[in-house]
């Protein structure tokens, strides 16, 4: 979830970033080590040191958009040991040799935004450019692009054998317009497209992950009406043929899509390609954003990034919240509960909502994904990071490749 530091305009779409981490790792069988050792890349944060601060800064200094550093920790300290342990249980997840490596960067263009998807047959990772950021020039004027990297190259950078990975443009055909979210689906990749202007409707696109990267639109309307700007997409293991997705307001909030006063409220949907049926599964959200399921599919997690209003700033009184829902036998979402309210850092929280630890990248993170073998790829707008040596194999229930 993207409520980390950065300007309002770079905090736009935001995502499911912490969800795969949490549920992939933590709802599984995790035995917490008694005396796990601290890797060189990690530091322990004593939460007691945060309970009473000498000065609690005013909102003009400390707010949803600011970086919060625990007392006595400089930002240099924070990045030199980027794995921050808030609870001993995090150590077991980290393992003894975890590391974080910057593998690609761009000057200003937010090329590494969201939709991080691992495609195991080629061991490549796909991701998308920010579809609405001014520094990308995308949105109304041009579509965001899909790019990919090779994890073998990422490993070479982590080993110090290379300085960065090759970032390769994926020419989807026909083009996926303003892609924002994606996941593996039946051997291919399904993308949410945010649409463009009044005339190009948001849509779900299926893309072949191999050349010629041919695409097929799956759905682009709700009984004839345009949706707003599709954001994230996930597959529930209990309904592997269905596609769940969120529709949010970031197209309108970044001036490239109409407002919902003329379209439809922001909601969460289920689409069944076999029948063509589309239905709403949750409507009680301000700006539905990231979406994922527990490994057994019985619980849905939806982030609501209501507080982040794109080009229109931040409203801290609105949600920056992860909700959980029961998934009913019919596949609808019921019994919403507040799972966590997210502080402006990327976080890792266990099923009862306890903060375990954080990975400090010092800037906005919109998305990440486990990529097998203790590896993880983190998209942080102008920077792309690779984690290896993660202790517990993080399985993302969405990865149905
Ligand atoms: C953990 O450390 C304590 C003392 O520091 C020791 O008594 C205990 O056996 C250790 N536990 C494990 C699982 O190594
Ligand atoms: C939030 O804090 C930052 C400093 O961290 C400051 O620049 C910004 O103006 C503050 N925002 C508001 C709305 O006060
Ligand atoms: C620790 O990680 C580094 C970097 O990936 C790797 O070269 C090294 O072999 C690992 N060491 C152990 C003991 O796994
Ligand atoms: C779109 O293009 C117009 C005209 O070139 C320019 O003024 C505007 O800033 C561009 N918008 C974005 C988001 O890049
Ligand atoms: C190192 O980088 C170069 C240039 O980007 C690339 O061609 C080469 O395959 C990389 N080597 C490895 C081992 O990843
Ligand atoms: C891409 O083309 C192949 C060969 O025609 C086809 O089997 C596949 O379904 C297509 N994929 C998409 C997403 O259109
Ligand atoms: C912030 O959100 C609250 C709750 O929706 C609303 O009452 C208030 O007008 C908003 N403030 C601004 C400045 O948009
Ligand atoms: C829904 O979830 C709650 C916990 O959040 C659980 O107590 C309850 O039994 C669940 N209800 C159903 C119908 O599964």
């Amino acid at each position: 979830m993207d409520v980390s530091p950065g300007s309002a305009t770079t905090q736009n779409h935001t995502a499911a970033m912490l969800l795969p981490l949490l549920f992939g790792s933590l709802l599984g069988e995790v035995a917490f080590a008694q005396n796990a050792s601290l890797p060189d890349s990690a530091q322990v944060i004593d939460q007691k040191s945060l309970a009473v601060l000498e000065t609690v800064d005013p909102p003009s200094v400390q707010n949803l958009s600011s970086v919060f550093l625990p007392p006595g920790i400089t930002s240099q300290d924070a990045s030199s040991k980027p794995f921050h342990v808030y609870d001993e249980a995090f150590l077991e997840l980290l393992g003894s040799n975890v590391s974080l490596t910057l593998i690609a960067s761009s000057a200003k263009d937010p090329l590494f935004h969201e939709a991080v998807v691992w495609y195991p047959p080629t061991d490549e990772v796909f991701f998308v450019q920010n579809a609405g950021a001014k520094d990308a020039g995308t949105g109304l004027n041009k579509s965001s692009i899909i790019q990919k990297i090779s994890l073998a190259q990422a490993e070479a950078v982590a080993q110090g054998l290379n300085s960065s990975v090759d970032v390769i443009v994926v020419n989807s055909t026909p083009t996926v317009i303003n892609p924002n979210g994606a996941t593996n689906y039946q051997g291919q990749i399904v993308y949410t497209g945010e649409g463009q202007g009044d005339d190009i409707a948001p849509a779900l696109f299926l893309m072949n992950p191999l050349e010629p990267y041919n695409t097929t639109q799956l759905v682009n309307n709700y009984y004839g009406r345009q949706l707003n700007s599709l954001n994230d997409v996930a597959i529930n293991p209990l309904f592997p043929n269905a596609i769940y997705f969120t529709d949010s307001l970031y197209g309108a909030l970044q001036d490239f899509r109409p407002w919902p006063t003329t379209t439809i409220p922001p909601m969460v949907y289920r689409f069944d390609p076999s029948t063509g049926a589309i239905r709403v599964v949750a409507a009680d959200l301000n700006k539905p954003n990231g979406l994922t399921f527990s490994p057994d599919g019985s619980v849905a997690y939806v982030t609501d990034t209501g507080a982040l209003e794109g080009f229109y700033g931040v409203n801290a009184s609105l949600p920056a919240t992860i909700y959980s829902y029961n998934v009913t036998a019919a596949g609808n979402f019921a019994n919403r509960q507040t799972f966590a309210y997210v502080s402006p850092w990327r976080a890792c929280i266990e099923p009862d909502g306890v903060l375990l630890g954080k990975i400090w990248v010092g800037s906005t993170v919109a998305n990440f994904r486990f990529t097998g073998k203790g590896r993880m790829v983190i998209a942080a707008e102008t920077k792309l990071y690779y984690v290896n040596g993660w202790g517990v194999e993080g399985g993302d229930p969405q990865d149905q490749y």
Side-chain angles (χ1 to χ4, degrees), residues 324 326 335 337:
S324 66
N326 290 354
N335 309 338
Q337 294 197 313

Side-chain angles (χ1 to χ4, degrees), residues 308-330:
L308 305 180
E309 307 205 293
F311 293 174
Y312 301 85
V314 172
N315 185 335
S317 69
L318 294 172
T321 307
I322 306 172
Y323 296 108
S324 66
Y325 295 85
N326 290 354
V327 177
T328 67

Side-chain angles (χ1 to χ4, degrees), residues 43 51 57 89 98 184 199 215 292 300 355-356 367 388:
Q43 58 184 303
D57 288 323
V98 67
N184 305 83
D199 295 332
T215 66
T292 197
L355 175 65
L356 297 184
N367 194 233
N388 64 356

